[in-house]
Structures are given as C-alpha cells and as structure tokens.
C-alpha cells in the first residue's frame, strides 16, 4: 500500500475506492480507452510516468502494457470538477491501446441502428500476447471485468 | 420506461444498470465531461440526438443543458470493446460543458504535485443558472453525485 499524497487525497473515490480513468492520445486527441484506478494505481501512475490501472477482475494492479508492450507513457494528468474522474493524455507505445489489436477500444460506431466496426486490427491478439490465449492476462482481464459487470 | 432496442441490449450495464459516458468535442477532440447513462438515457440520447444522462443523485433523467442551455448535440456514438463505456462526439452548445462555466470539466492539471486550474470561467454560474444558486439543478446535481460517491 502506497502512502496517499495530497494529490490522491483530493480524489473522490467511489465506494469501491475506484475512479474511472480515461486515456487519450496526447497528439491526436483520440480517446483510447477507459479503465479504473485506485489510490495506489494513481500514485504509481504519477511516480512511474505511465498508466497503471486497477484490474477489477484480478483485484490487482495492472501496468498497462506489462504483457503486450503497449505501455501508455503519461504526458498530462487531469481531474474533473468533481474530482471523481481522471483524464490522462498519453503516448501510446506501439499505437495500439485495445487488447483486440486496434488503436482504440472505441472501434464501434452506431450506424443505422447497429454497432459497426470502423477500425482495423493492426496486430492480431495472438501476435501481441502469444499463441496461448489462456495466458493473455490483459485481454482476459478486460473481458472478465466487463462480464462480471463491476462498476 | 423505454423498450430496449438491439442497440442498448448490447451494452453491458453495471449492477446499478449504468455505464460511464464520455462526451468529447466532435471538432477539437477535447474531452468535455464524463457522466452516467442507464438504458433509457441511452435510448433517448439516440432518439433525440442530444446527450441525456442519468443523474445518480436525483435518480432521474438529466437532459444536459435543460437549465443551462448548454445542450450537447450528438454527432457520433461509440462503444468500447467490452461494451461497458460509451463515447459521444458532441457539438457543445454555448461552448461550455462544465457547471463551473468552463469549457471542459477537466480544467485541473497535475503540476509539481498539485492540481492547478488551467481553464478560465467563460460564464459565471450565477449567469448560467440564475442568481438563486439553490435552484441550480445541474450544478447541485453534479456536486451531490460526487459527494455521495455513487459509482
């Protein structure tokens, strides 16, 4: 457990001790993903200068890129008026934020009443995480976390 | 209660029946705010072509701009890989998304271990909501929602 600093003490954590954290490309402005942070994750993000989330499914710190290499280098960190959401401007190493191998996780757009995929897969997940998909921690974590529908 | 369509049935709502919704300026790419939507809010956002959130404090639909006039016209709607976060590209009427009268809610940046305000107030809240601050529904809702720390 990291000692909370003045910076993290100001955050209004939800009852699970988490806040949503948005990662945005620092140059293009593209929104890459949304994940969650606890106090430790935010402290470490600041200290290490890279995005570190809290994996709700694994209940463990998730150093973005720890397996994929797709690290998010922190360029700027912001909080909103209520101090309950974090916005990071990041340099996305490898140009891929999504575990599906796409640049952004927001690759589906609403069109004519359906969700249409707009972005191409830049690198196949088995190339990113290796052939054994069961050990794809990042990918399975993301899937598990949403399946379990944790806030 | 609105009948859920194929579009909203695909969303993975959290256990409160909500998902975070990010509003991004459709032209500049600036992230303006994050609020929450339930199924009805998302259906109505699509139907009416403007951002409609779920106010966690009031437990009611919140038509963004209903008091301030700062409506968010929907330009594009996206979901992420897990279908548990919504991203809207919007035309921000009045150029002000935040109840403090600033363009974006993310007006504080981390600098030298402290949160520094970077954005100016474009319009004072009493000019936006009227002199009687107690009736500022949008503003107080935002404050209440974070104070109560609902997810």
């Amino acid at each position: 457990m990291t000692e909370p600093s003045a910076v993290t003490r100001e955050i209004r954590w939800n009852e699970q001790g988490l806040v949503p954290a948005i990662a945005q490309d620092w140059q293009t402005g593209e929104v890459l993903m949304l994940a969650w942070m606890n106090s430790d994750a935010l402290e470490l993000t600041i200290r290490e200068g890279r995005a570190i989330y809290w994996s709700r499914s694994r209940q463990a710190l998730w150093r973005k890129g720890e397996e994929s290499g797709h690290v998010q280098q922190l360029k700027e960190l912001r909080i909103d008026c209520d101090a309950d959401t974090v916005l990071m401007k990041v340099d996305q190493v490898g140009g891929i934020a999504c575990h599906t191998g796409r640049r952004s996780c927001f690759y589906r757009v609403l069109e004519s009443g359906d969700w249409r995929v707009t972005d191409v897969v830049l690198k196949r997940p088995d190339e990113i995480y290796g052939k054994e998909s069961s050990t794809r921690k990042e990918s399975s974590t993301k899937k598990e976390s949403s399946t379990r529908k944790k806030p």
Side-chain angles (χ1 to χ4, degrees), chain A:
Chain A
M1 185 71 75
T2 312
E3 189 66 28
S5 69
V7 165
T8 53
R9 273 200 301 271
E10 196 141 335
I11 305 291
R12 298 187 181 184
W13 310 96
N14 72 11
E15 56 278 347
Q16 284 88 36
L18 303 175
V19 288
I22 303 163
Q24 181 182 29
D25 186 291
W26 75 298
Q27 287 180 306
T28 66
E30 187 176 12
V31 175
L32 301 174
M33 58 181 281
L34 180 143
W36 295 80
M37 286 186 181
N38 64 4
S39 176
D40 274 6
L42 182 57
E43 291 283 357
L44 290 167
T45 293
I46 296 166
R47 193 177 304 169
E48 299 185 17
R50 59 180 282 192
I52 297 175
Y53 302 103
W54 177 254
S55 165
R56 296 171 301 171
S57 54
R58 280 192 289 144
Q59 291 286 299
L61 288 169
W62 168 30
R63 284 177 160 76
K64 172 67 183 164
E66 60 195 351
E67 293 198 28
S68 62
H70 298 151
V71 170
Q72 294 175 334
Q73 303 286 3
L74 186 66
K75 292 290 185 176
E76 189 179 277
L77 187 65
R78 290 182 172 268
I79 50 170
D80 71 349
C81 48
D82 292 328
D84 61 1
T85 303
V86 165
L87 174 64
M88 289 180 294
K89 299 199 181 171
V90 301
D91 184 0
Q92 177 61 64
V93 173
I96 295 173
C98 186
H99 74 284
T100 65
R102 293 178 176 89
R103 172 150 188 81
S104 161
C105 292
F106 295 94
Y107 58 81
R108 284 181 289 177
V109 69
L110 184 66
E111 265 190 23
S112 308
D114 212 349
W115 298 106
R116 187 175 69 81
V117 172
T118 55
D119 299 13
V120 295
V121 172
L122 299 172
K123 196 172 179 180
R124 290 201 317 272
D126 62 355
E127 288 180 294
I128 299 172
Y129 299 100
K131 295 288 176 193
E132 295 166 43
S133 62
S134 62
T135 62
R136 280 183 225 161
K137 219 179 274 179
E138 277 203 1
S139 143
S140 61
T141 297
K142 281 289 285 178
K143 283 176 194 296
E144 281 169 29
S145 79
S146 62
T147 305
R148 293 183 189 180
K149 291 185 182 169
K150 289 182 180 175

